[in-house]
Amino acid sequence: MSDSPASHRLRTGRYAEPNRIYLLTTNTLGREPVFADYALGRLVVHQFRQAQSLGLANSLAWVVMPDHFHWLVELEKCSLSSLMRQTKSLTTREVNLSSARHGPLWQQGYHDRALRRDEDLVKMARYVVANPLRAGLVERLGNYPLWDAIWV
């Protein structure tokens, strides 16, 4: 899970809390724009929905960008590390089966930010789903197919 020899220290003393809200971000290996192919991006979306249907996490908002994703979740019946390990593993398998790719898909590790209950979740969700606009991929969010939020 570590990106560098010292990255384990970032997690020292930290633990994932059930019912806590987290913003999760991870990048494709080498920032390869794999999900510029929206059909492959839909495989990531499928895993977000699968995690929710299994009761692992409640998806509040997400966006799959060409080379990374942001996922705003309320953690339920698992740890952050197991949620991300499962999501990354299953999407790697599905993407590789559905394309000419093989080998790793994701960079090691991920970034997580625990949100306080008093933070404006709708504002955070808007920030997450507006990524395609800020990146200049579309002029209207409705033109980008790989995002969702419970407030929309």
Side-chain angles (χ1 to χ4, degrees):
M1 183 165 94
S2 66
D3 288 323
S4 68
S7 68
H8 70 280
R9 289 193 300 249
L10 295 174
R11 303 224 184 275
T12 300
R14 292 184 69 188
Y15 62 96
E17 299 175 70
N19 304 314
R20 182 107 191 221
I21 297 171
Y22 294 89
L23 176 59
L24 304 172
T25 303
T26 194
N27 299 319
T28 58
L29 190 62
R31 299 295 299 251
E32 182 183 350
V34 174
F35 307 117
D37 179 339
Y38 296 141
L40 297 179
R42 298 297 304 164
L43 299 172
V44 178
V45 171
H46 174 75
Q47 289 308 316
F48 292 165
R49 292 192 171 132
Q50 190 72 1
Q52 181 154 332
S53 70
L54 294 172
L56 303 178
N58 183 24
S59 293
L60 305 176
W62 49 261
V63 65
V64 179
M65 298 294 286
D67 62 358
H68 67 281
F69 70 69
H70 300 282
W71 190 13
L72 186 62
V73 299
E74 181 177 13
L75 198 58
E76 292 184 345
K77 292 191 301 190
C78 70
S79 68
L80 284 178
S81 60
S82 65
L83 176 65
M84 289 300 284
R85 184 174 38 253
Q86 177 176 324
T87 300
K88 290 167 74 172
S89 173
L90 293 173
T91 55
T92 297
R93 185 183 68 186
E94 293 302 314
V95 166
N96 286 352
L97 286 172
S98 298
S99 68
R101 293 189 86 266
H102 63 278
L105 172 62
W106 302 103
Q107 289 181 3
Q108 290 185 341
Y110 58 91
H111 180 268
D112 64 277
R113 176 179 168 215
L115 277 66
R116 296 183 310 268
R117 287 287 173 187
D118 60 340
E119 287 188 71
D120 186 348
L121 294 180
V122 174
K123 183 178 176 182
M124 180 60 72
R126 285 184 183 136
Y127 171 81
V128 167
V129 301
N131 266 261
L133 295 170
R134 286 192 303 277
L137 298 176
V138 292
E139 292 184 21
R140 286 187 55 243
L141 185 55
N143 293 339
Y144 194 77
L146 299 174
W147 70 274
D148 200 3
I150 65 170
W151 296 279
V152 179

